[in-house]
Amino acid sequence: DQQVKQNSPSLSVQEGRISILNCDYTNSMFDYFLWYKKYPAEGPTFLISISSIKDKNEDGRFTVFLNKSAKHLSLHIVPSQPGDSAVYFCAASGKTGANNLFFGTGTRLTVIP
Amino acid sequence: DVKVTQSSRYLVKRTGEKVFLECVQDMDHENMFWYRQDPGLGLRLIYFSYDVKMKEKGDIPEGYSVSREKKERFSLILESASTNQTSMYLCASIPGGGLAGNTIYFGEGSWLTVV
């Protein structure tokens, strides 16, 4: 059963507008969350992370929000640029070691010029 | 910069063939992983290794084995390839100590087609 879910397989946004990518998880023991970006024919690259002691983390145009009570996190990209077009994966991990990193199914973001 | 290198980017193999996917990382990371990525299923963990000669099964180990004879190299082996193993395979590594404060570094991926 998928412990990390990205219910929107795709999202299209106009250049300059905000992109909001959503992720839900089921395991309340998860305490570290990451977003990865993946271009075609390349491996995923790390984008931004957040630990469960925070509810927000910003890095330039990218902000991740964590709502622990709702078991929900979101990635905001403002302003969206055509180069942001990629597949975005969220991932979650618990305290107990490196092996239990669970990935969502990904959301394909298309930023329209 | 951390570099994770997957030597084979695109392979086409026949059903029943033995397939080796090689991965090398240059940052002395203890932990290495093999994932496969399939449309609608995200990244699924096949095997991981936290030290030389150590290996642990991930979520979908059936049909696969691994080898870690040296710290920098982690090999994924398909003993008898089948068409349902057609996929993109991703190798990754992180330092010891787990994910907190670290991030996973991925290779560029190996596209395997089994015909």
Side-chain angles (χ1 to χ4, degrees):
Chain A
D1 199 22
Q2 199 82 21
Q3 296 195 50
V4 179
K5 297 178 185 179
Q6 294 175 255
N7 291 318
S8 298
S10 63
L11 173 70
S12 291
V13 169
Q14 207 72 31
E15 181 179 4
R17 300 286 183 100
I18 184 171
S19 296
I20 300 177
L21 295 96
N22 293 305
C23 180
D24 297 292
Y25 61 96
T26 57
N27 190 337
S28 58
M29 296 302 291
F30 288 151
D31 65 354
Y32 191 64
F33 305 89
L34 308 94
W35 283 95
Y36 280 83
K37 179 166 77 171
K38 186 180 182 299
Y39 293 116
E42 293 183 14
T45 53
F46 170 73
L47 196 55
I48 192 168
S49 65
I50 189 167
S51 77
S52 59
I53 61 172
K54 291 185 171 184
D55 54 17
K56 178 182 171 182
N57 189 25
E58 269 183 274
D59 184 3
R61 296 185 298 114
F62 302 92
T63 304
V64 56
F65 294 93
L66 175 62
N67 182 335
K68 288 188 290 293
S69 61
K71 295 194 185 69
H72 177 84
L73 66 155
S74 60
L75 174 68
H76 292 208
I77 307 173
V78 181
S80 302
Q81 299 173 354
D84 296 329
S85 297
V87 177
Y88 289 79
F89 291 98
C90 69
S93 175
K95 290 187 174 70
T96 56
N99 55 300
N100 58 347
L101 183 65
F102 296 91
F103 283 87
T105 51
T107 297
R108 180 178 300 281
L109 173 66
T110 303
V111 180
I112 303 160
Chain B
D1 268 359
V2 174
K3 195 163 174 68
V4 180
T5 304
Q6 294 179 233
S7 54
S8 301
R9 293 299 310 276
Y10 302 96
L11 306 94
V12 179
K13 297 291 181 181
R14 294 194 181 279
T15 300
E17 275 193 78
K18 191 168 185 174
V19 181
F20 291 86
L21 299 178
E22 305 286 347
C23 175
V24 176
Q25 51 93 3
D26 64 359
M27 283 301 289
D28 204 36
H29 286 172
E30 284 80 0
N31 301 292
M32 296 187 74
F33 306 79
W34 275 106
Y35 290 89
R36 62 179 281 179
Q37 183 196 351
D38 300 289
L41 295 175
L43 277 70
R44 293 181 293 166
L45 181 63
I46 305 171
Y47 267 96
F48 70 98
S49 167
Y50 53 88
D51 204 348
V52 174
K53 296 193 186 296
M54 306 303 286
K55 60 185 180 185
E56 294 282 346
K57 292 180 180 178
D59 300 318
I60 50 164
E62 296 79 18
Y64 303 95
S65 62
V66 290
S67 172
R68 187 135 182 236
E69 295 297 318
K70 293 185 177 181
K71 193 174 186 181
E72 67 270 19
R73 187 179 297 270
F74 193 34
S75 304
L76 181 69
I77 303 155
L78 288 67
E79 293 289 343
S80 177
S82 62
T83 53
N84 64 11
Q85 292 178 309
T86 292
S87 186
M88 182 188 194
Y89 290 86
L90 285 159
C91 175
S93 75
I94 63 170
L99 275 162
N102 291 311
T103 185
I104 280 195
Y105 296 90
F106 285 91
E108 292 190 322
S110 298
W111 290 95
L112 172 66
T113 302
V114 183
V115 297

Short mmCIF file of all heavy atoms in Angstrom, two decimals, chain A residues 1 29 32 41 47 57 66 73 86 101 103-104 108:
data_model
loop_
_atom_site.label_atom_id
_atom_site.label_comp_id
_atom_site.label_asym_id
_atom_site.label_seq_id
_atom_site.Cartn_x
_atom_site.Cartn_y
_atom_site.Cartn_z
N ASP A 1 0.85 -1.19 0.00
CA ASP A 1 0.00 0.00 0.00
C ASP A 1 0.89 1.24 0.00
O ASP A 1 1.85 1.32 0.76
CB ASP A 1 -0.92 -0.03 1.22
CG ASP A 1 -2.10 0.90 1.04
OD1 ASP A 1 -2.42 1.21 -0.11
OD2 ASP A 1 -2.69 1.30 2.06
N MET A 29 4.71 8.14 11.78
CA MET A 29 6.08 8.06 12.25
C MET A 29 7.06 8.76 11.31
O MET A 29 8.23 8.96 11.65
CB MET A 29 6.51 6.59 12.40
CG MET A 29 5.73 5.82 13.43
SD MET A 29 5.86 6.56 15.07
CE MET A 29 7.58 6.22 15.45
N TYR A 32 10.71 13.21 8.32
CA TYR A 32 11.60 13.96 7.44
C TYR A 32 11.07 13.82 6.04
O TYR A 32 10.77 12.70 5.60
CB TYR A 32 13.02 13.40 7.56
CG TYR A 32 14.10 14.23 6.92
CD1 TYR A 32 14.39 15.50 7.37
CD2 TYR A 32 14.85 13.73 5.86
CE1 TYR A 32 15.37 16.27 6.80
CE2 TYR A 32 15.85 14.48 5.28
CZ TYR A 32 16.11 15.76 5.75
OH TYR A 32 17.09 16.52 5.18
N ALA A 41 15.18 11.31 -18.70
CA ALA A 41 16.49 10.70 -18.95
C ALA A 41 17.57 11.15 -17.96
O ALA A 41 18.76 11.00 -18.23
CB ALA A 41 16.96 10.94 -20.38
N LEU A 47 15.67 18.86 -4.12
CA LEU A 47 15.16 20.22 -4.25
C LEU A 47 15.09 20.92 -2.90
O LEU A 47 15.74 21.93 -2.67
CB LEU A 47 13.77 20.16 -4.88
CG LEU A 47 13.15 21.40 -5.47
CD1 LEU A 47 14.06 22.02 -6.51
CD2 LEU A 47 11.79 21.07 -6.08
N ASN A 57 9.58 25.60 5.16
CA ASN A 57 10.98 25.79 4.82
C ASN A 57 11.06 26.43 3.44
O ASN A 57 10.40 25.98 2.51
CB ASN A 57 11.73 24.45 4.84
CG ASN A 57 13.22 24.64 4.70
OD1 ASN A 57 13.76 25.69 5.04
ND2 ASN A 57 13.91 23.63 4.20
N LEU A 66 4.42 21.94 5.72
CA LEU A 66 4.08 20.65 6.33
C LEU A 66 2.94 20.84 7.32
O LEU A 66 3.02 21.68 8.22
CB LEU A 66 5.30 20.06 7.04
CG LEU A 66 5.08 18.76 7.81
CD1 LEU A 66 4.63 17.64 6.88
CD2 LEU A 66 6.34 18.36 8.56
N LEU A 73 1.85 17.55 2.92
CA LEU A 73 2.83 18.57 2.62
C LEU A 73 2.62 19.08 1.20
O LEU A 73 2.02 18.39 0.37
CB LEU A 73 4.27 18.09 2.84
CG LEU A 73 4.89 17.01 2.00
CD1 LEU A 73 6.40 17.18 2.00
CD2 LEU A 73 4.56 15.64 2.54
N ALA A 86 9.01 19.55 -15.08
CA ALA A 86 9.69 18.31 -14.70
C ALA A 86 8.70 17.45 -13.93
O ALA A 86 7.56 17.87 -13.68
CB ALA A 86 10.91 18.61 -13.81
N LEU A 101 13.00 5.21 3.08
CA LEU A 101 12.60 6.40 2.34
C LEU A 101 11.53 5.98 1.34
O LEU A 101 11.77 5.15 0.48
CB LEU A 101 13.80 7.00 1.61
CG LEU A 101 13.53 8.29 0.84
CD1 LEU A 101 13.15 9.40 1.79
CD2 LEU A 101 14.75 8.70 0.03
N PHE A 103 8.77 6.99 -1.54
CA PHE A 103 8.51 8.00 -2.56
C PHE A 103 7.05 7.98 -2.99
O PHE A 103 6.40 6.93 -3.01
CB PHE A 103 9.38 7.74 -3.79
CG PHE A 103 10.81 8.14 -3.64
CD1 PHE A 103 11.74 7.28 -3.09
CD2 PHE A 103 11.24 9.41 -4.03
CE1 PHE A 103 13.07 7.64 -2.94
CE2 PHE A 103 12.55 9.79 -3.88
CZ PHE A 103 13.47 8.91 -3.33
N GLY A 104 6.56 9.14 -3.35
CA GLY A 104 5.27 9.24 -4.00
C GLY A 104 5.40 8.86 -5.46
O GLY A 104 6.49 8.56 -5.96
N ARG A 108 3.76 15.46 -12.72
CA ARG A 108 4.44 16.12 -13.85
C ARG A 108 3.96 17.55 -13.95
O ARG A 108 2.78 17.80 -14.20
CB ARG A 108 4.16 15.37 -15.15
CG ARG A 108 4.83 16.00 -16.38
CD ARG A 108 4.56 15.18 -17.63
NE ARG A 108 5.06 13.83 -17.51
CZ ARG A 108 6.32 13.47 -17.67
NH1 ARG A 108 7.23 14.39 -18.01
NH2 ARG A 108 6.69 12.22 -17.54
#
